[in-house]
């Protein structure tokens, strides 16, 4: 009887450490976020430099606005990814304003589909 009571008390008062699970999920999300920005960086740099040759941006200041799977279902790998880059000219100047790029991403490669100022 004592063992049953003790088990009941432990079961009702013990809580799973969800904080640890949440921290891990945030860390993984952050890593995936940064990896995606790094993989898109050469395409973004080329598109922005072609349209605005004197502008630069920093990846730490880029924001992934939207990721959309174009074809539904398992094993369909075509996406659009919209990223906003805060651009500037020179290291000590005011920001020039955001430029939003829409990428078309497939297993064949990456293409910049749209540039919005």
């Amino acid at each position: 009887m004592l063992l049953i009571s003790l088990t009941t008390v432990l079961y009702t008062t013990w809580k799973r450490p969800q904080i640890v699970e949440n921290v891990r999920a945030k860390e993984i999300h952050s890593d995936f976020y940064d990896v995606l920005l790094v993989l898109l960086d050469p395409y973004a740099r080329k598109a922005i430099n072609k349209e605005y040759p004197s502008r630069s941006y920093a990846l730490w200041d880029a924001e992934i606005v939207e990721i959309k799977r174009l074809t539904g279902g398992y094993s369909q790998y075509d996406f659009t990814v919209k990223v906003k880059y805060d651009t500037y000219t020179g290291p000590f100047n005011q920001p020039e304003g955001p430029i939003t790029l829409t990428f078309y991403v497939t297993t064949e490669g990456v293409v910049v589909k749209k540039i919005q100022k």
Side-chain angles (χ1 to χ4, degrees), residues 20-108:
V20 174
E21 291 176 3
N22 290 340
V23 170
R24 287 186 187 141
K26 287 179 184 175
E27 288 173 0
I28 290 170
H29 175 73
S30 175
D31 290 345
F32 279 119
Y33 193 92
D34 289 348
V35 165
L36 183 55
L37 288 175
V38 168
L39 291 173
L40 293 174
D41 184 55
Y43 305 98
R45 194 163 305 283
K46 184 176 179 181
I48 290 172
N49 286 341
K50 183 177 179 183
E51 193 77 22
Y52 307 99
S54 61
R55 291 196 191 181
S56 297
Y57 62 89
L59 282 180
W60 60 265
D61 205 21
E63 176 188 350
I64 299 173
V65 178
E66 178 182 78
I67 297 175
K68 194 183 294 184
R69 184 183 292 264
L70 298 177
T71 307
Y74 181 71
S75 293
Q76 302 296 318
Y77 301 106
D78 51 339
F79 301 88
T80 57
V81 180
K82 191 181 284 191
V83 182
K84 182 181 74 138
Y85 298 92
D86 290 323
T87 62
Y88 58 88
T89 303
F92 302 109
N93 294 330
Q94 293 294 321
E96 295 279 345
I99 294 175
T100 302
L101 301 180
T102 302
F103 301 92
Y104 178 61
V105 181
T106 67
T107 55
E108 301 295 317

